[in-house]
Amino acid sequence: MSFDVDIGHASHKGPRERNEDFAAALRAAPHEAGRGLIAAIADGVSAGGHGLVAAQTAVISLVNDFHAVPATWETTVALDRLLGAHNAWLVDHNRRRSGDASGLTTLTAVVLRGHTWTVAHVGDTRAWLLRGGECTQLTHDHAFDHPDLRSQLTRAIGLDDSLRID
């Protein structure tokens, strides 16, 4: 089955001083078209001062490395290993920084491959399915479920040694 995909993105910084969002998409090379397409978006956590760098490196490393993993790997395995490796790298860099300076980011990615799609999600950057004019949220936020703590994440890339990915 063949399909066309239009890729675009927009981001608004809202009330913050700077925008720490980053997005990218990459199709497999024409001779490997069966390996699909990957798209990812990340929202850097501004509190540590290095959120934009965390978002950029997470997205770039994921989309650049995804088509380089062995073709025999399941999509979920590839996403888990690539994001886990980047998390370990970012956690290590955060430990080396002085004081409260850190780089954390949320990330949501989708892989379109053959007749399937796979979503990987950490944090509160949401994935939605638009079908028949209806939007359905596919992910749930990894943040405290309390109005006063809503912006405090329970999961993010760079936050903990182990990374739990939905």
Side-chain angles (χ1 to χ4, degrees):
M1 176 177 159
S2 172
F3 56 90
D4 293 323
V5 177
D6 292 325
I7 299 170
H9 61 87
S11 179
H12 185 271
K13 70 179 180 80
R16 293 198 170 102
E17 188 173 305
R18 65 184 236 178
N19 190 341
E20 297 189 342
D21 299 344
F22 194 82
L26 185 64
R27 301 173 198 271
H31 67 281
E32 293 185 312
R35 298 203 64 180
L37 174 145
I38 183 166
I41 185 166
D43 181 5
V45 177
S46 58
H50 297 280
L52 180 58
V53 171
Q56 289 173 333
T57 59
V59 169
I60 289 171
S61 67
L62 180 62
V63 299
N64 284 342
D65 294 345
F66 181 77
H67 293 111
V69 301
T72 56
W73 285 10
E74 294 284 332
T75 302
T76 54
V77 171
L79 292 168
D80 188 56
R81 289 184 183 177
L82 292 171
L83 291 173
H86 187 71
N87 181 70
W89 177 85
L90 193 53
V91 165
D92 181 60
H93 275 68
N94 287 339
R95 283 192 183 116
R96 295 171 192 227
R97 291 186 175 118
S98 62
D100 292 332
S102 65
L104 305 174
T105 188
T106 67
L107 183 131
T108 299
V110 63
V111 174
L112 305 175
R113 188 183 230 172
H115 295 277
T116 65
W117 52 272
T118 304
V119 172
H121 169 71
V122 177
D124 61 0
T125 300
R126 299 176 184 143
W128 297 80
L129 175 65
L130 175 61
R131 180 180 285 161
E134 281 191 41
C135 265
T136 306
Q137 187 173 336
L138 299 175
T139 57
H140 69 276
D141 293 353
H142 300 135
F144 287 107
D145 194 19
H146 185 280
D148 295 339
L149 301 172
R150 193 70 195 133
S151 63
Q152 290 191 2
L153 296 169
T154 57
R155 290 193 222 170
I157 296 176
L159 183 63
D160 295 312
D161 287 329
S162 64
L163 181 65
R164 289 183 34 224
I165 304 165
D166 289 352

